[in-house]
Amino acid sequence: MLNDENASVKPKGGSVALFCIITALYWFSLYAYIPIFTPYVESLGAGHTMTGLIVGSYGLAQLLLRIPLGIISDRLRKRKIFVSLGMLLSLGSSLGLWLVPGVWGALIFRGLAGAAASTWVAFTVLFSSYFNEGQAQKAIGTINAFNSLGQMLATFAGGWLAQSVGWPSTFILAAIVGAIGLVASLFVAETRVPTKQPIQVEQLLKVGKSVSLLTVSGLAILSQFVTFATVFGFTTVHAQSIGAGEFEMGLLTLISTLPYMLASTLVGSVFATRFGERRTVTIGFAIVAVCAAIIPFTRSMSGLYISQAIGGFGRGMVFPVLMGLSIKTVEPDKRATAMGFFQAIYAVGMFVGPFLVGLISDAVGLTGGFLATAAVGAVAAFVAWASLKPLSRSI
């Protein structure tokens, strides 16, 4: 008998493949314009602080919405509807960025993209339900690989299109892909969760009070702080300052995403298994910290490419492990809630990272912002080493 939140009959391989494709389309739609987004916002007249706020609005929306969506998904015992909702919101966000140019339009519609990303809770839990219990790391590693594939293809295509046609064309591309994903999501397989006693409020609160969940979520905050301050934040601004064009900015994001995808694929079968979760996360954070510190001192795109490729691999060693740990010990019918807590909490880093680094950069320059980001990565490595040892025995 399978211990899973869905019925004992698992969806066939075709359903898994379709879901992987939809996942790639979802993240493609959210990230097609990312290579040029931060420079684009600054070209509209925003300073580093306002730019950081706009970039961070993506995380702020997730901070506010992911827990409610996780709870609603668990109570309804449905995931598919939220997958389609995510695609619809991503489509609306892209159209808004195209049709309403300006600083405030960028703030509102990048925030709407964050609302779309909040439905990632349902994506991860539904996909995990396609696998047997005990395969959490494999499921998370697989879906994160397609997450990265979508982002990788998006940043490459977006960078090329921005240089060939113009920056607004990337918003149109994102909208088209979002529309395709929305249609495809209607065919996602979902077996209704068996009828059980409805989840009580006390049980939901217990999920959020789990020491192991709070620990890995805190580490995820630091991981997302670094990622959204650099890769999806101000790294492209530095690249532009040393002469990068739109295609090179897209290539930079691609080069940082591809190693992340590789590490995500290997994390469950190689790193976490052979080296342990504690060591894997600690080493990953250390790599990320060093690569963040290097950014402001690179004066050529080749040097920046190399440093960010290594940093991307480090990120891939960290995040899938933390994501898998967030639901590993949670009862199946509460996993969406646990994932909602995890993803809402780490969204703090997605908001605070670019906003705080924007403030620092306005005050002392981008170099100071990047060095502060590196310090956060170093602290995260220390915290991971100190805190994950006991968790590895209980998770």
Side-chain angles (χ1 to χ4, degrees):
M1 181 176 178
L2 298 175
N3 296 318
D4 195 83
E5 68 174 326
N6 287 330
S8 59
V9 177
K10 296 289 181 180
K12 296 180 180 179
S15 299
V16 173
L18 174 63
F19 201 92
C20 289
I21 292 170
I22 291 170
T23 296
L25 293 173
Y26 172 71
W27 288 107
F28 188 111
S29 181
L30 288 169
Y31 278 77
Y33 50 82
I34 287 300
I36 56 87
F37 189 65
T38 305
Y40 166 75
V41 170
E42 295 203 343
S43 76
L44 297 174
H48 292 321
T49 301
M50 186 61 183
T51 298
L53 179 61
I54 291 171
V55 173
S57 67
Y58 176 78
L60 181 60
Q62 294 175 61
L63 175 63
L64 298 175
L65 295 175
R66 273 182 163 165
I67 290 177
L69 285 177
I71 292 174
I72 292 170
S73 177
D74 273 342
R75 285 191 174 275
L76 293 177
R77 297 187 176 93
K78 292 182 179 180
R79 322 295 186 199
K80 177 179 175 178
I81 187 173
F82 295 96
V83 172
S84 296
L85 177 63
M87 296 302 318
L88 178 63
L89 292 174
S90 182
L91 169 61
S93 168
S94 303
L95 287 175
L97 288 170
W98 174 45
L99 295 172
V100 188
V103 172
W104 291 106
L107 177 63
I108 293 168
F109 290 105
R110 188 54 184 164
L112 187 61
S118 299
T119 64
W120 181 235
V121 179
F123 276 78
T124 52
V125 176
L126 178 55
F127 189 72
S128 294
S129 75
Y130 291 177
F131 295 78
N132 295 330
E133 190 172 343
Q135 294 182 300
Q137 292 287 8
K138 178 180 178 181
I140 295 300
T142 301
I143 198 171
N144 268 295
F146 280 89
N147 170 326
S148 300
L149 176 63
Q151 293 180 14
M152 179 184 69
L153 294 175
T155 54
F156 180 79
W160 175 82
L161 193 65
Q163 182 158 307
S164 301
V165 182
W167 290 3
S169 64
T170 60
F171 304 134
I172 300 173
L173 174 64
I176 292 172
V177 173
I180 295 171
L182 176 60
V183 173
S185 72
L186 302 178
F187 300 94
V188 167
E190 179 178 45
T191 304
R192 188 172 179 83
V193 178
T195 302
K196 296 181 182 179
Q197 179 71 24
I199 299 173
Q200 302 300 314
V201 174
E202 310 86 71
Q203 294 175 306
L204 299 177
L205 292 175
K206 285 181 181 179
V207 170
K209 291 179 180 178
S210 166
V211 174
S212 61
L213 177 58
L214 289 174
T215 300
V216 297
S217 297
L219 288 169
I221 288 175
L222 302 181
S223 173
Q224 295 300 314
F225 182 109
V226 175
T227 299
F228 278 80
T230 56
V231 181
F232 302 132
F234 292 98
T235 300
T236 50
V237 174
H238 173 70
Q240 189 180 42
S241 74
I242 60 174
E246 290 85 351
F247 178 75
E248 289 175 302
M249 288 189 285
L251 189 59
L252 175 63
T253 311
L254 168 65
I255 287 173
S256 129
T257 304
L258 183 57
Y260 176 91
M261 177 182 172
L262 175 61
S264 294
T265 305
L266 296 175
V267 71
S269 58
V270 178
F271 298 128
T273 302
R274 295 187 181 182
F275 307 119
E277 290 142 344
R278 177 196 189 199
R279 189 172 299 169
T280 298
V281 173
T282 301
I283 294 173
F285 269 128
I287 292 172
V288 166
V290 171
C291 291
I294 289 173
I295 293 173
F297 304 106
T298 54
R299 291 294 177 263
S300 69
M301 285 306 297
S302 59
L304 197 55
Y305 288 148
I306 293 170
S307 69
Q308 296 314 291
I310 297 171
F313 195 89
R315 290 188 295 113
M317 292 175 65
V318 171
F319 201 69
V321 175
L322 297 178
M323 199 172 187
L325 290 176
S326 73
I327 61 172
K328 194 173 181 181
T329 58
V330 178
E331 293 177 17
D333 63 337
K334 300 181 185 69
R335 284 181 178 171
T337 301
M339 187 63 74
F341 273 106
F342 173 73
Q343 295 186 356
I345 291 173
Y346 79 58
V348 172
M350 298 166 67
F351 170 66
V352 174
F355 181 61
L356 183 58
V357 170
L359 283 172
I360 294 172
S361 298
D362 267 338
V364 300
L366 275 175
T367 297
F370 285 123
L371 291 179
T373 304
V376 170
V379 169
F382 174 79
V383 172
W385 183 258
S387 64
L388 289 184
K389 185 175 182 180
L391 290 178
S392 65
R393 296 172 185 161
S394 59
I395 290 178

